[in-house]
Amino acid sequence: MNQGDRYLRVIPVYVLLPPYTLLMDVAGPVEVLRRANIEQEDILFDYRFIAARPTQTTSIGLTVADLLPVPDCIPEGALVVVSGSVTPPSDAGDIEEENGLLATWLRTSIRPGVTLITICSGAVLAARAGLLEGYACTTHAACIEEVQHYAPTARVLDNRLYVEDRERYSSAGISTGTDLMLHIVSKLTSPVTALTIARHMVVYMRRTGADPQLSPWLSGRNHVHPAIHRVQDAIMADPAHGWSLAELAGIGAMSARHISRLFQEHAGLSVTAYVNLMRVTLARDVLANSRLDMERVAEKSGFASPRHMRRVWSKYNELSPSHYRRSAAE
């Protein structure tokens, strides 16, 4: 059986390695994709590594081999990931010609329908190719001026983990490539899949106040306590269930008093507040994707009545449920 047969959709991913590739820029994001292929069966991320030549020296001196040549054509719906690189040592050969060839290839290959993802200083190569003009983006702090030079109409943002602007995604420093890929996987598969991958890799689903909004489904999950995650998994799987503190304490294998204290400590909110947030999030999804009346929406979301739903809803949303439904339909 073909590897892609068990998946509903296959997304080609081309990972471009420039000269003196920063190895973490490749390993972190691609490990996210590898785990995504394990954790779910909706999308196969069919990644392959490309370069201007079959071998490439990396930032730590390790040479990678068997790299594929840059393709003549990128298929619709593909992702192109451009790794960052480091300044070559003084005794290295001239890499300007190779970088120029890669910039030319990017300029002729990236078109509407193809998503460009730059990691760290990979934004410089994209800027040289003219692919960031008119877009918001970010890059490593040391490369901001260079990106601005090559892409004068780009809005280059600093102090950002990553930036999303239409079919352009860019990350800042080295480790933020992993953050960005978790965000992309969350959008393409599900927040739960991204969260599972983050926990396996023992990294946080990080955001800053100016970054793309964290899905409410992932709120309170920025910790590594296994019992609290187990309880949160149960609540997330069925927010409408009539959860009692005793039942959740049993799932966490601890006393009700102990789980209340640990939940507040690690998740940053009370058990009741977390259950309510998950129910409100479920209600948002029901409102946006159905025409059910408010009584049925409240029932499907675990609230005792529409009045109860509106009271809890108002703590998390400025718009009323009915106004939210109208805005979601626009």
Side-chain angles (χ1 to χ4, degrees):
M1 183 177 71
N2 188 300
Q3 182 189 15
D5 289 347
R6 68 188 181 96
Y7 296 88
L8 298 178
R9 178 185 172 198
V10 176
I11 296 181
V13 182
Y14 297 85
V15 184
L16 179 63
L17 277 66
Y20 292 92
T21 291
L22 261 165
L23 199 55
M24 277 188 64
D25 284 2
V26 176
V30 175
E31 179 62 16
V32 172
L33 298 180
R34 187 186 75 84
R35 290 301 309 180
N37 290 342
I38 294 171
E39 299 295 345
Q40 50 80 49
E41 296 186 354
D42 291 331
I43 295 176
L44 171 67
F45 294 96
D46 184 18
Y47 51 86
R48 69 288 309 267
F49 304 96
I50 60 174
R53 48 199 176 93
T55 62
Q56 197 65 276
T57 300
T58 67
S59 55
I60 61 173
L62 180 71
T63 298
V64 292
D66 297 328
L67 300 173
L68 299 174
V70 293
D72 294 331
C73 182
I74 299 293
E76 182 87 8
L79 310 180
V80 175
V81 182
V82 183
S83 166
S85 58
V86 297
T87 302
S90 57
D91 59 350
D94 185 16
I95 61 171
E96 182 55 33
E97 181 179 357
E98 185 174 344
N99 279 332
L101 289 172
L102 293 179
T104 299
W105 176 79
L106 284 169
R107 183 165 51 251
T108 58
S109 299
I110 304 298
R111 64 185 190 283
V114 174
T115 298
L116 177 65
I117 302 165
T118 62
I119 311 297
C120 193
S121 61
V124 174
L125 204 54
R128 287 185 58 173
L131 297 172
L132 298 181
E133 296 287 0
Y135 287 90
C137 63
T138 193
T139 186
H140 192 282
C143 303
I144 287 177
E145 289 187 5
E146 194 172 4
V147 171
Q148 290 173 329
H149 169 75
Y150 284 118
T153 66
R155 190 159 58 95
V156 188
L157 306 175
D158 58 4
N159 295 321
R160 301 288 295 274
L161 294 177
Y162 55 79
V163 172
E164 173 185 352
D165 187 357
R166 292 160 286 172
E167 293 181 319
R168 301 288 187 272
Y169 292 80
S170 52
S171 76
I174 300 167
S175 65
T176 58
T178 299
D179 297 302
L180 173 56
M181 197 58 75
L182 284 167
H183 172 67
I184 292 170
V185 166
S186 176
K187 289 190 64 174
L188 293 175
T189 60
S190 73
V192 175
T193 295
L195 176 65
T196 303
I197 295 167
R199 286 168 57 189
H200 178 84
M201 295 177 66
V202 199
V203 297
Y204 295 131
M205 296 287 290
R206 300 189 298 174
R207 300 294 188 277
T208 66
D211 287 314
Q213 287 297 304
L214 180 67
S215 165
W217 292 111
L218 298 180
S219 296
R221 303 302 293 255
N222 195 4
H223 63 86
V224 293
H225 196 291
I228 301 304
H229 275 304
R230 197 160 60 244
V231 171
Q232 290 174 303
D233 288 344
I235 297 169
M236 182 186 289
D238 188 7
H241 178 72
W243 295 108
S244 69
L245 190 57
E247 185 177 6
L248 293 172
I251 293 171
M254 62 184 76
S255 69
R257 182 177 180 180
H258 194 43
I259 194 174
S260 296
R261 183 180 64 79
L262 287 180
F263 207 98
Q264 184 72 53
E265 178 183 340
H266 292 279
L269 67 170
S270 70
V271 175
T272 299
Y274 183 79
V275 172
N276 282 338
L277 176 58
M278 293 300 101
R279 288 176 177 171
V280 167
T281 304
L282 177 58
R284 287 166 61 96
D285 289 351
V286 175
L287 286 166
N289 297 290
S290 79
R291 304 313 303 168
L292 295 175
D293 60 37
M294 290 301 166
E295 188 167 347
R296 289 284 292 132
V297 173
E299 180 184 340
K300 289 182 70 68
S301 305
F303 295 103
S305 66
R307 182 179 179 182
H308 179 213
M309 181 179 74
R310 283 191 288 267
R311 179 165 54 82
V312 176
W313 174 282
S314 65
K315 297 178 180 178
Y316 302 97
N317 299 277
E318 293 183 1
L319 297 177
S320 68
S322 57
H323 279 82
Y324 173 78
R325 170 174 271 170
R326 284 196 291 271
S327 68
E330 292 175 354

